[in-house]
Amino acid sequence: MSDTATQTPTKLQLLELLAAIGTAQWREFAAAAAQHGLTSTQARVLAQLDGPVPMRGLATLLVCDASNVTGIVDRLEARELVRREPDPADRRVKNVVATDAGRDVIRRVREEMQAMHGALDTLDEAESATLYALLGRLRPSMEKA
């Protein structure tokens, strides 16, 4: 084993590595989305829709103005990938919900990310479990930011 493999990485080294992986993942995600006629932002909206999400909540997740979300959702709705529904608790609030077609297209986008699948295939079961656990520990703190 080399000296660099046994040294504890600095936070900067970890951040740079995470940024490089994130950039590569985002680039591949955008390319796979484009194969389905989606912009990267439209695909990102679909990826956020595990359940109903208020329009304003999507703006927060996308870090953009609510007026931008309206246009994005309009285009997704025209393709029947999402629908708007009134919130049961507050009928003034509109939730965005993925349709079956929307869930199917985002599943296919994720499946077509071959470079990411290939990279993950280099890990054995124990390494995959460790990576999953570590990323799971980081996720709550990152999503608060």
Side-chain angles (χ1 to χ4, degrees):
M1 219 183 258
S2 71
D3 287 341
T4 57
T6 60
Q7 291 178 350
T8 301
T10 66
K11 284 183 185 177
L12 181 58
Q13 289 171 319
L14 290 170
L15 289 170
E16 288 173 349
L17 186 56
L18 285 170
I21 291 169
T23 299
Q25 186 270 343
W26 179 249
R27 189 173 29 249
E28 188 174 26
F29 181 76
Q35 294 295 317
H36 294 277
L38 297 170
T39 66
S40 56
T41 303
Q42 290 170 337
R44 198 164 157 223
V45 166
L46 286 173
Q48 299 294 323
L49 297 178
D50 289 334
V53 178
M55 295 280 287
R56 191 161 301 283
L58 280 175
T60 300
L61 289 168
L62 297 173
V63 191
C64 70
D65 191 75
S67 62
N68 293 344
V69 172
T70 299
I72 296 164
V73 171
D74 285 347
R75 287 184 286 283
L76 289 170
E77 196 170 37
R79 289 188 54 191
E80 299 181 350
L81 299 176
V82 301
R83 68 179 177 275
R84 290 178 175 96
E85 296 179 345
D87 187 291
D90 184 348
R91 302 207 40 94
R92 295 169 296 173
V93 174
K94 294 294 182 205
N95 288 328
V96 181
V97 179
T99 63
D100 289 342
R103 284 187 292 277
D104 183 57
V105 76
I106 197 62
R107 178 190 52 75
R108 285 185 281 142
V109 165
R110 288 176 172 146
E111 286 174 353
E112 291 167 13
M113 296 175 64
Q114 294 305 308
M116 289 303 298
H117 286 276
L120 292 172
D121 286 343
T122 67
L123 303 176
D124 64 28
E125 286 183 25
E127 290 167 331
S128 290
T130 299
L131 179 60
Y132 187 81
L134 292 171
L135 293 173
R137 281 182 47 198
L138 293 177
R139 186 177 185 174
S141 298
M142 296 303 301
E143 288 181 341
K144 288 180 194 173

